[in-house]
Amino acid sequence: MFIISLTYQVPLNEVDKFIPEHIEYLDAQYEKGHFILSGRKEPRTGGVIISTINDRKTLERELAHDPFYRENIASYEITEVTPTKAATELKFLID
């Protein structure tokens, strides 16, 4: 499992131009079962994605399709997490 922290590298008016395409990308990743949570940071400096992909190279390949990545809109910090404890509703995330 990975936590991906995006940090915008351009002004928000540039970010906003790619929001519809970014949402399409996110929707496709949710449909594949790759992402389980995403949202904006507050203040609006980027976003966070939680991915159930278990291989970093696969994750990096998928992230390369994000328009924010393709257009250098955001930088990506990827943190691998091995869940060991979870609330009852999230027990499915524990290996």
Side-chain angles (χ1 to χ4, degrees):
M1 170 177 282
F2 293 91
I3 298 171
I4 304 104
S5 178
L6 288 73
T7 302
Y8 297 144
Q9 302 297 303
V10 299
L12 288 177
N13 64 329
E14 287 296 311
V15 172
D16 289 341
K17 291 178 185 176
F18 290 92
I19 291 287
E21 190 178 351
H22 177 66
I23 290 171
E24 287 177 19
Y25 163 79
L26 292 173
D27 289 346
Q29 294 300 316
Y30 278 100
E31 285 178 28
K32 292 177 182 179
H34 290 170
F35 293 173
I36 58 170
L37 182 97
S38 60
R40 291 180 177 171
K41 292 180 183 175
E42 292 297 335
R44 191 174 169 209
T45 59
V48 175
I49 300 168
I50 298 179
S51 173
T52 57
I53 293 174
N54 59 11
D55 175 73
R56 188 179 184 104
K57 288 183 182 184
T58 301
L59 174 65
E60 289 172 348
R61 260 195 321 271
E62 292 298 327
L63 290 174
H65 297 289
D66 185 350
F68 284 3
Y69 182 91
R70 184 191 68 227
E71 301 295 330
N72 295 311
I73 300 293
S75 63
Y76 293 67
E77 179 182 344
I78 300 170
T79 304
E80 187 168 3
V81 177
T82 303
T84 56
K85 191 163 184 64
T88 303
E89 301 83 14
L90 299 176
K91 290 285 188 192
F92 69 95
L93 296 173
I94 306 296
D95 290 330

